[in-house]
């Protein structure tokens, strides 16, 4: 591996006596010992955080994604030994680090919090969870004075899920701002998926080793069809999407999708949020139509196992599905496509699923989305969290020096003095909150009977 991908922005790193870890093991330790990683234990994954001690949180989801990421890497090493020896470090620490850190930037209350912050930041660069992740690990965490966790360049590249600026990807026709927060329609304020202009220096440093041709291609966007006036109008109402991810990021995304589509389904089944009739109709029936003999046979008994009162049968069924997906992953050379010609190997190769296996995973993900996430009771919780975040942002931005904790107030004042984006500091503070912390702060500010001794620091 080229030393350029092992570099850190802060070159002077403390050398501790008899420390034999490789650079990515050090990266993993910094993620696991960070405050932002610990806070994931009280942030909503799918089911509401704090409603039950059984539900997965952002923390347990990230741990499962890291385990799956290790499994994917093991499969790739077995299938493509020579290529993987050239592409990967000897340990699994790199992929585990990226998977552990991938959700660190997500705010309280899931997508409700993300929508709320994007709305409040609509005139100040927007907000998006993946962009916030990069900002936290590369700027905000306290392992260094100015460079966050000071992770290796390759780890940061793996966390750059959408390598283009948020404002470049955002739809041209902006929705109308609302007169009252309670009237905000969530589907109008979903952010595009990208990075902040405030972090352009971080982006430039990560992509510095790439040739201009590679960087331009890597940051390119998917094309929309604009053959008619109607389609042109539709295009302006749609966010753009980036086309490419690095090799490490492609593994993390697959691990994330498998954890979401399969493990999060387990929460919904065990807690009886979904029923077997819906599962048979929306999952089993569709799986049976996929041209995959093993999947067709396995799905015949899947409902009975997953909805059984015998938990060992549920675990066996979940484990079989995860193994089916992991073992189907392969390395794909993107340069085999006509319009792609990456010279950097970390961009040239991606981990991919076959078409039939990807279709199966999508069936599970869609089921979780439409029958769990879109459940009215969960949407009401998300709406409540959305209101809390917007009210907090409005209050804190009214008098930041008075209401922000001392460290954040100092950063806000520095942004004012340097004529940089001071609103981003308020978004940083709220995004770092857990669901419980945000709720308690809201009560302390707006509830006459809220705790008067509540500590802001």
């Amino acid at each position: 591996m080229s030393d350029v991908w092992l570099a850190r922005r802060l070159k002077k790193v403390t050398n501790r006596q008899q420390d034999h870890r490789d650079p990515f093991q050090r990266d993993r330790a910094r993620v696991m010992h960070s405050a932002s990683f610990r806070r994931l234990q009280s942030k909503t994954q799918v089911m509401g955080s704090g409603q039950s001690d059984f539900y997965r949180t952002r923390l347990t989801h990230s741990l499962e994604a890291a385990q799956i990421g290790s499994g994917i890497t093991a499969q790739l090493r077995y299938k493509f030994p020579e290529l993987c020896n050239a592409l990967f470090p000897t340990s699994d620490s790199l992929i585990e680090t990226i998977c552990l850190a991938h959700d660190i930037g997500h705010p309280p209350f899931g997508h409700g919090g993300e929508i709320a912050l994007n709305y409040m930041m609509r005139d100040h660069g927007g907000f998006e969870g993946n962009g916030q992740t990069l900002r936290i690990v590369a700027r905000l965490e306290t392992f260094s004075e100015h460079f966050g966790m000071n992770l290796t360049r390759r780890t940061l590249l793996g966390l750059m899920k959408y390598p283009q600026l948020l404002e470049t990807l955002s739809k041209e026709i902006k929705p109308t701002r609302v007169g009252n927060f309670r009237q905000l329609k969530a589907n109008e304020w979903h952010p595009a998926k990208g990075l902040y202009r405030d972090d352009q220096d971080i982006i430039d440093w990560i992509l510095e080793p790439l040739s201009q041709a590679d960087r331009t291609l890597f940051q390119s966007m998917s094309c929309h069809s604009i053959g008619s006036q109607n389609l042109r109008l539709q295009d302006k109402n749609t966010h753009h999407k980036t086309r490419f991810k690095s090799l490490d990021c492609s593994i993390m995304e697959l691990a994330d999708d498998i954890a979401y589509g399969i493990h999060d389904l387990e929460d919904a089944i065990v807690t009886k949020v979904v029923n077997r009739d819906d599962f048979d109709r929306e999952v089993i029936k569709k799986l049976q139509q996929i041209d995959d003999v093993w999947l067709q046979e396995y799905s015949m008994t899947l409902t009975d196992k997953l909805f059984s009162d015998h938990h060992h049968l549920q675990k066996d069924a979940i484990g079989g599905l995860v193994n089916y997906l992991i073992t189907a992953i392969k390395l794909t050379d993107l340069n085999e496509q006509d319009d792609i010609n990456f010279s950097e190997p970390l961009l040239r190769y991606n981990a991919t699923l076959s078409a039939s296996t990807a279709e199966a995973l999508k069936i599970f993900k869609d089921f979780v989305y439409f029958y769990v996430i879109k459940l009215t009771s969960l949407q009401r919780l998300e709406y409540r969290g959305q209101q809390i975040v917007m009210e907090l942002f409005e209050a804190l931005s009214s008098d930041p020096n008075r209401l922000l904790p001392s460290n954040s107030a100092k950063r806000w004042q520095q942004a004012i003095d340097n004529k940089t984006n001071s609103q981003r500091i308020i978004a940083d503070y709220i995004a770092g909150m857990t669901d419980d912390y945000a709720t308690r702060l809201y009560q302390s500010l707006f509830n006459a009977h809220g705790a008067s001794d509540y500590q802001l620091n």
Side-chain angles (χ1 to χ4, degrees):
M1 187 190 308
S2 170
D3 286 347
V4 71
W5 295 111
L6 300 178
R8 304 177 190 272
R9 286 190 81 186
L10 179 61
K11 294 179 174 60
K12 185 180 180 181
V13 178
T14 303
N15 290 317
R16 294 186 171 88
Q17 188 175 11
Q18 297 183 346
D19 186 351
H20 303 297
R21 295 173 298 172
D22 68 35
F24 304 115
Q25 289 172 321
R26 299 189 77 171
D27 282 358
R28 181 178 60 187
R30 293 177 187 195
V31 170
M32 293 192 72
H33 291 293
S34 67
S36 50
F37 182 71
R38 289 195 300 276
R39 291 187 187 111
L40 295 178
Q41 67 186 307
S42 295
K43 289 193 179 187
T44 294
Q45 171 59 13
V46 172
M47 319 294 267
S49 174
Q51 286 184 285
S52 167
D53 59 4
F54 177 84
Y55 298 156
R56 285 165 169 86
T57 64
R58 289 273 180 191
L59 179 65
T60 55
H61 163 78
S62 298
L63 292 169
E64 286 176 334
Q67 179 62 35
I68 293 169
S70 292
I72 293 172
T73 308
Q75 280 295 315
L76 295 177
R77 290 186 197 278
Y78 176 76
K79 293 178 181 177
F80 309 92
E82 293 185 10
L83 189 54
C84 286
N85 283 340
L87 291 173
F88 293 113
T90 54
S91 73
D92 290 339
S93 303
L94 168 64
I95 299 302
E96 288 178 359
T97 301
I98 294 168
C99 291
L100 289 170
H102 81 281
D103 267 353
I104 273 179
H106 282 268
F109 309 114
H111 291 294
E114 183 178 52
I115 288 163
L117 283 175
N118 187 49
Y119 177 73
M120 300 307 289
M121 291 291 290
R122 62 193 179 275
D123 297 325
H124 307 282
F127 180 91
E128 197 271 327
N130 297 284
Q132 189 69 16
T133 291
L134 187 68
R135 180 172 174 82
I136 288 172
V137 300
R139 192 185 300 283
L140 300 181
E141 264 291 351
T142 56
F143 287 81
S144 67
E145 186 175 3
H146 301 294
F147 305 120
M149 298 181 193
N150 195 33
L151 303 178
T152 59
R153 181 183 265 124
R154 179 160 176 179
T155 298
L156 294 176
L157 180 69
L159 286 168
M160 190 183 279
K161 199 170 180 182
Y162 306 100
Q164 184 54 270
L165 294 181
L166 198 58
E167 60 196 58
T168 304
L169 296 165
S170 296
K171 55 190 175 186
E172 294 179 44
I173 298 178
K174 309 298 181 185
T176 304
R177 65 183 64 194
V178 296
N180 187 303
F181 290 157
R182 295 183 181 181
Q183 302 301 314
L184 187 76
K185 289 183 172 58
N187 61 351
E188 294 181 357
W189 288 96
H190 280 288
K193 295 184 181 298
L195 307 170
Y196 306 143
R197 181 170 291 280
D198 297 321
D199 298 325
Q200 186 68 60
D201 59 322
I202 299 171
I203 301 166
D204 290 339
W205 183 83
I206 296 171
L207 302 184
E208 186 179 299
L210 301 181
S211 68
Q212 187 58 55
D214 271 7
R215 176 166 178 168
T216 300
L217 183 59
F218 183 54
Q219 294 190 287
S220 63
M221 300 178 291
S222 299
C223 297
H224 296 293
S225 173
I226 51 173
S228 68
Q229 184 64 37
N230 288 338
L231 284 174
R232 274 197 293 274
L233 184 62
Q234 183 182 10
D235 182 60
K236 291 183 179 181
N237 274 297
T238 305
H239 292 315
H240 298 283
K241 297 178 180 179
T242 53
R243 295 175 64 193
F244 299 107
K245 295 173 174 61
S246 70
L247 167 63
D248 304 325
C249 188
S250 71
I251 295 174
M252 176 268 282
E253 186 171 48
L254 285 171
D256 185 25
D257 285 350
I258 292 170
Y260 166 80
I262 307 300
H263 285 301
D264 290 352
L265 173 64
E266 184 183 7
D267 280 1
I269 291 173
V270 173
T271 54
K272 303 187 186 317
V273 170
V274 297
N275 63 65
R276 62 183 298 149
D277 290 337
D278 289 337
F279 187 78
D280 272 332
R281 183 182 65 256
E282 298 298 331
V283 177
I284 301 300
K285 187 176 179 181
K286 294 176 181 178
L287 292 178
Q288 287 286 325
Q289 296 172 0
I290 296 177
D291 185 18
D292 186 317
V293 175
W294 183 91
L295 187 61
Q296 289 178 359
E297 182 178 343
Y298 194 78
S299 61
M300 290 177 67
T301 59
L302 185 57
T303 302
D304 288 338
K305 288 182 178 180
L306 288 177
F307 288 84
S308 170
D309 291 331
H310 301 290
H311 295 308
H312 69 279
L313 294 178
Q314 293 175 337
K315 286 295 184 186
D316 182 61
I318 292 291
L321 288 171
V322 172
N323 183 71
Y324 162 73
L325 293 166
I326 289 176
T327 55
I329 293 172
K330 60 183 180 179
L331 280 179
T332 296
D333 185 349
L334 301 183
N335 284 3
E336 292 177 355
Q337 301 177 41
D338 291 339
D339 63 335
I340 301 174
N341 186 26
F342 283 118
S343 58
E344 171 54 58
L346 294 182
L347 306 184
R348 175 178 176 177
Y349 296 97
N350 268 194
T352 59
L353 284 168
S354 66
S356 60
T357 317
E359 184 181 354
L361 179 55
K362 185 177 185 300
I363 290 169
F364 284 105
K365 287 173 59 183
D366 287 349
F367 184 74
V368 171
Y369 181 76
F370 289 109
Y371 285 83
V372 183
I373 291 177
K374 285 298 184 181
L375 203 65
T376 300
S377 59
L378 293 185
Q379 285 299 306
R380 286 175 176 173
L381 287 174
E382 193 173 281
Y383 174 84
R384 184 180 70 182
Q386 180 180 305
Q387 301 305 309
I388 289 172
V389 168
M390 288 189 288
E391 294 279 4
L392 286 178
F393 195 104
E394 185 176 56
L396 294 171
S397 61
S398 70
D399 196 347
N401 273 326
R402 178 188 182 193
L403 298 176
L404 286 175
S406 56
N407 285 340
S408 294
K410 181 179 179 181
R411 291 181 57 235
W412 181 84
Q413 189 60 55
Q414 287 173 342
I416 292 292
D417 295 342
N418 297 330
K419 295 182 170 54
T420 56
N421 189 359
S422 59
Q423 296 297 92
R424 181 66 64 195
I425 310 305
I426 299 171
D428 288 340
Y429 176 51
I430 295 175
M433 296 178 182
T434 63
D435 296 16
D436 291 340
Y437 185 97
T439 301
R440 294 198 312 272
L441 178 56
Y442 178 88
Q443 290 171 343
S444 75
L445 289 173
F446 302 116
N447 186 344
H449 302 289
S452 60
D453 60 345
Y454 180 73
Q455 297 296 314
L456 286 174
N457 290 317

